[in-house]
Amino acid sequence: MPEFRTRDPLSPEFWDERFDRAFTPWDMGGVPQRLQRYIAEWQGAKPSVLIPGCGSAYELVAMCEAGWDATAIDFSPAAVAQGQATAGPWSARVQEADFFRWQPAAPLDLVYERAFLCAMPPAMWPQVAARWAELLPSGATLAGYFFCGDKPKGPPFGIARAHLLQLLEPHFHLKAEESVADSLSVFEGQEYWFEWQRR
């Protein structure tokens, strides 16, 4: 592992340094299988979607190709530059923004989660859950990948399934849960696909 100067994952510089040095073990290099199926399950609907902590933004491309109104945000300038390069014709949809301050232009139908919660130290998890709930109106969806591993040091920081339920059930109803077959090695065997509906 390279030596890094920055150790605080709440700082954009932490992520800038890792993108600049191409140390991104959370980056699949494409769109995971379950998300591909999930997009197809919407059967031509065009939801309004937020992808927080988007990194390289491969998922944004898949969503936009399906006609979705997707926006990807990251607070790391290096991540945004990488995401914009990946997004090509949709590069304007990759924006540098703070998840806790960003505001949608119209009500969201969906927030897509992948390696965002686990990038946050556990002390921040209640704030993330509250912000998801604030951004999503009743009936809207939080869906994606959750790292339910026993890993208190990170990132990635693993969250026990029982803790995740405790965190989200005040705001969301769990609709679907699946294990993940194509996880990266950093998440392998401990990554799950969840779909939650805003209460």
Side-chain angles (χ1 to χ4, degrees):
M1 180 184 295
E3 289 292 325
F4 295 109
R5 297 186 306 276
T6 52
R7 297 292 178 184
D8 180 9
L10 297 179
S11 164
E13 289 78 14
F14 176 96
W15 303 101
D16 285 342
E17 189 174 12
R18 283 147 183 82
F19 274 96
D20 288 342
R21 300 180 67 177
F23 182 79
T24 55
W26 61 85
D27 189 325
M28 174 173 271
V31 181
Q33 296 170 7
R34 187 61 185 89
L35 177 62
Q36 294 178 40
R37 298 201 311 274
Y38 185 65
I39 291 172
E41 287 167 8
W42 281 74
Q43 299 180 338
K46 300 179 178 7
S48 175
V49 186
L50 173 67
I51 308 171
C54 65
S56 298
Y58 304 105
E59 293 97 329
L60 175 86
V61 175
M63 292 175 183
C64 289
E65 286 177 344
W68 290 20
D69 180 15
T71 301
I73 63 172
D74 207 296
F75 76 160
S76 160
V80 170
Q82 178 65 46
Q84 288 176 340
T86 300
W90 298 286
S91 61
R93 291 177 173 266
V94 182
Q95 302 170 7
E96 184 178 335
D98 182 337
F99 169 71
F100 297 99
R101 295 184 175 88
W102 179 86
Q103 294 294 334
L108 293 172
D109 301 303
L110 171 68
V111 170
Y112 170 69
E113 160 64 17
R114 185 140 199 263
F116 182 69
L117 183 67
C118 69
M120 295 281 180
M124 292 294 296
W125 292 345
Q127 294 180 54
V128 175
R131 183 65 174 144
W132 281 334
E134 182 182 16
L135 285 167
L136 290 168
S138 179
T141 302
L142 168 67
Y145 296 85
F146 292 80
F147 177 42
C148 296
D150 182 16
K151 193 170 182 296
K153 292 186 178 181
F157 298 95
I159 184 169
R161 183 184 181 280
H163 188 179
L164 181 64
L165 293 172
Q166 182 182 34
L167 188 71
L168 293 183
E169 283 190 334
H171 309 291
F172 295 91
H173 166 66
L174 180 59
K175 292 177 58 182
E177 175 182 355
E178 298 176 24
S179 58
V180 176
D182 61 342
S183 296
L184 293 167
S185 59
V186 69
F187 303 125
E188 191 171 4
Q190 297 178 307
E191 188 174 36
Y192 295 85
W193 171 270
F194 288 102
E195 296 172 29
W196 308 82
Q197 186 173 49
R198 181 71 169 95
R199 294 189 187 277

